[in-house]
Amino acid sequence: MSSVFPSLAMSKIQLATYSKCRMPHGTGKLQKSPRKYEESIMLYKGVPRQQSSYHTFSSPDEIEMFRKRLLAWYNKCKRDLPWRKLAATEADADKRAYAVWISEIMLQQTQVASVINYYNRWMQKWPTLQDLAGASLEEVNEMWAGLGYYSRGKRLQEGACKMVLEMAGHMPRTAEELQKLLPGVGKYTAGAIASIAFGQETGVVDGNVIRVLCRVRAIGANPTNSAVTDVFWALSHTLVDPAHPGDFNQAMMELGATVCTPRAPLCMECPVKQHCRAYHRVEKELKDSAKRLVGRAASKCSQVLDVEECATPAGSCSLCLPPSEPWDPSLGVANFPRKAAKKQPRTESTATCVLQRKCHEDKPEYLIVQRPSTGLLAGLWEFPSLLLDPGQEKQQKTIMAHHLRAWVGSDVAVGRLQHVGEVLHIFSHIRQTYTIYSLNLDKHEGNCKMEVALPPCRWVTKAEFQNSAVSSAMKKVLKAYEKWSSTISVAKVTKRKRDSLCSSQPVLATESSSSKRQLSLDSFFAPPPRN
């Protein structure tokens, strides 16, 4: 029995160690570990322990050393980020959790560099749950404009209102409650808030953590597979430091973001390279190559099963690299994680019109319309736009002219619409092409009383447009329009100059023609040249 399950004897000791109740920092209640250690040993249903031991951590000593090395590196090398300062210095648990919550939602699918300014402005305007609950959705959208994935801002505001009205202004204290009670909070976000703000002993799994775990434990299975995702969560719960869960989780994410990067990872700077299966394989290949270069055959022991190789027959392990995608020596540790096939974004076409009129001091105003409260870019403002059905592209100018009638107050002649150009904007799941038209209105146009069925609209200056809750796509549209408009203006000035020059040319042409005729007569009557 022991030969079939070599890690079973040790797992009993580990189970006793890891199934104890622990008191997380910052809470007054005992909380159990998210998973018993025995569950982390049996990582995948139907996979025997001798197979999974290669892809997990079976030694308490190794786990402890992994934690110490990672935390020591993090304390020395972590980036100075505003939400980390608040989480470390704020004594009030609700304010601390609020600060972490805002940062984690902003960081979803968004790079740290893009978030910092938004986060600072947000926390300056709404430093507490109560402040955010008192804000309007319009204000939230204006603050969020340009950050993308706009439903996140709406859910933050909804969550703040819910906690103020239903929870006496308190944040839920556990990952389970956070995920259950707050809109837009999934398993990862809940674990991050609970561990960082409340010290709950729970792991987290995001893209950075997945990359680290895949390389450290040589997991080459499809990372999007639900069973493989369970493996990642089991590993993260196993590794998390019970004394410093928040710092440990941030350290794992920091490692993936700054050292264990998707391409060109900095393995020599990695604090846990001693525990990395992928790194060891690269090192072994380098040593074998060096032996061959000096003319020495590989030693017999190198032909024996390596202690850091999966014990199962090739092709039968559900967590190793699949036979169809074997190890590529040129990639090194970047063989992990396996790249999942990306779903191609669908293609859509939208016609949009920059409707402009002159206001005070002849400065332009633009008409913007509010989008529906649900769906893509919910509640944001845009130029009058129309999503085209397949096959409508050739008639889009006519369709847009008809669509604009509601905003202009009268029929719009198709000929009045000027084609500006096209702008491509890629959302997470949509490849959107905006065909841009321009229409300049007279002073008496655009002042009609809007029908009740129409969405809210308003005329804004350029400065007001930039400060409104408009998407990055609409800012691209305005930029393209301004470039086109500038080109048209230059062309008109050039044409006027050319026309002005041409108006004086007939006189000169007459004089030139007369001179040529006189020269011809003189030449006719001139005596022949002497030899």
Side-chain angles (χ1 to χ4, degrees), residues 259-416:
V259 175
C260 195
T261 53
R263 291 176 291 274
L266 307 174
C267 292
M268 297 311 296
E269 297 179 18
C270 179
V272 293
K273 59 180 177 289
Q274 297 91 332
H275 309 276
C276 182
R277 305 264 196 241
Y279 176 75
H280 288 174
R281 178 162 183 174
V282 172
E283 288 289 287
K284 179 179 180 297
E285 289 185 346
L286 289 174
K287 290 178 181 178
D288 289 344
S289 297
K291 289 179 182 179
R292 287 192 294 271
L293 284 174
V294 296
R296 288 187 294 169
S299 60
K300 291 182 179 181
C301 61
S302 65
Q303 305 301 320
V304 181
L305 181 66
D306 193 282
V307 293
E308 290 190 352
E309 290 182 4
C310 189
T312 57
S316 62
C317 176
S318 60
L319 296 179
C320 284
L321 287 167
S324 59
E325 299 180 42
W327 172 273
D328 182 350
S330 67
L331 294 176
V333 301
N335 276 279
F336 304 101
R338 175 184 167 192
K339 290 180 174 62
K342 287 187 177 181
K343 184 179 179 181
Q344 292 298 316
R346 69 176 185 269
T347 300
E348 290 185 353
S349 297
T350 294
T352 187
C353 183
V354 179
L355 211 56
Q356 177 182 297
R357 71 178 184 185
K358 297 293 183 181
C359 63
H360 302 296
E361 300 179 357
D362 282 339
K363 291 183 179 179
E365 279 186 332
Y366 306 102
L367 183 73
I368 55 175
V369 182
Q370 191 171 34
R371 290 182 61 86
S373 58
T374 58
L376 181 69
L377 307 175
L380 298 189
W381 295 81
E382 65 182 5
F383 296 115
S385 301
L386 192 64
L387 181 65
L388 301 172
D389 294 328
Q392 287 187 322
E393 288 81 1
K394 292 183 179 180
Q395 298 84 31
Q396 60 182 317
K397 192 173 183 180
T398 302
I399 295 171
M400 175 54 70
H402 180 73
H403 179 66
L404 291 174
R405 183 183 183 281
W407 313 110
V408 176
S410 60
D411 289 332
V412 176
V414 176
R416 290 183 64 189

Side-chain angles (χ1 to χ4, degrees), residues 32-322:
K32 294 183 178 180
S33 299
R35 293 180 181 227
K36 294 180 180 179
Y37 191 77
E38 187 174 15
E39 291 175 332
S40 71
I41 293 296
M42 184 60 96
L43 289 172
Y44 183 62
K45 187 176 181 181
V47 178
R49 284 184 175 86
Q50 78 269 21
Q51 177 175 351
S52 63
S53 64
Y54 175 70
H55 298 290
T56 187
F57 289 82
S58 56
S59 166
D61 291 338
E62 185 183 16
I63 293 172
E64 188 63 29
M65 188 56 67
F66 185 98
R67 293 169 177 166
K68 286 182 178 180
R69 286 170 170 161
L70 182 62
L71 285 171
W73 168 82
Y74 176 71
N75 291 330
K76 180 181 178 182
C77 302
K78 63 184 175 184
R79 289 171 292 179
D80 185 17
L81 301 174
W83 46 87
R84 287 179 179 167
K85 286 183 179 179
L86 284 172
T89 59
E90 178 57 62
D92 184 277
D94 287 308
K95 290 182 179 179
R96 185 170 64 244
Y98 171 76
V100 176
W101 176 44
I102 299 301
S103 70
E104 288 299 335
I105 297 298
M106 285 188 171
L107 288 165
Q108 290 174 0
Q109 303 294 321
T110 310
Q111 294 182 348
V112 169
S114 301
V115 168
I116 292 175
N117 287 335
Y118 281 90
Y119 182 82
N120 287 334
R121 288 190 288 114
W122 182 290
M123 295 303 294
Q124 186 176 7
K125 188 167 186 177
W126 302 305
T128 67
L129 275 173
Q130 290 74 14
D131 294 320
L132 179 56
S136 67
L137 181 57
E138 180 69 15
E139 289 177 303
V140 171
N141 282 338
E142 287 178 1
M143 179 69 74
W144 201 273
L147 196 56
Y149 299 91
Y150 296 91
S151 61
R152 294 180 295 170
K154 180 180 179 181
R155 288 171 180 167
L156 281 173
Q157 201 263 351
E158 290 174 350
C161 290
K162 181 176 183 179
M163 284 183 277
V164 168
L165 295 175
E166 301 177 16
M167 306 177 199
H170 296 298
M171 293 277 296
R173 270 10 189 204
T174 66
E176 295 74 19
E177 290 177 339
L178 286 161
Q179 186 176 355
K180 179 181 178 181
L181 299 175
L182 296 189
V185 172
K187 191 174 182 180
Y188 157 74
T189 304
I193 298 170
S195 62
I196 297 170
F198 301 122
Q200 182 181 351
E201 185 192 341
T202 180
V204 297
V205 172
D206 74 343
N208 288 318
V209 174
I210 286 174
R211 186 163 54 257
V212 171
L213 292 176
C214 281
R215 291 171 180 174
V216 167
R217 295 294 95 170
I219 297 174
N222 184 351
T224 63
N225 181 280
S226 60
V228 179
T229 300
D230 289 341
V231 172
F232 297 140
W233 279 102
L235 281 171
S236 68
H237 290 321
T238 298
L239 289 174
V240 65
D241 191 310
H244 308 283
D247 282 349
F248 182 87
N249 287 334
Q250 290 182 92
M252 287 287 284
M253 292 184 280
E254 187 83 347
L255 184 67
T258 62
V259 175
C260 195
T261 53
R263 291 176 291 274
L266 307 174
C267 292
M268 297 311 296
E269 297 179 18
C270 179
V272 293
K273 59 180 177 289
Q274 297 91 332
H275 309 276
C276 182
R277 305 264 196 241
Y279 176 75
H280 288 174
R281 178 162 183 174
V282 172
E283 288 289 287
K284 179 179 180 297
E285 289 185 346
L286 289 174
K287 290 178 181 178
D288 289 344
S289 297
K291 289 179 182 179
R292 287 192 294 271
L293 284 174
V294 296
R296 288 187 294 169
S299 60
K300 291 182 179 181
C301 61
S302 65
Q303 305 301 320
V304 181
L305 181 66
D306 193 282
V307 293
E308 290 190 352
E309 290 182 4
C310 189
T312 57
S316 62
C317 176
S318 60
L319 296 179
C320 284
L321 287 167

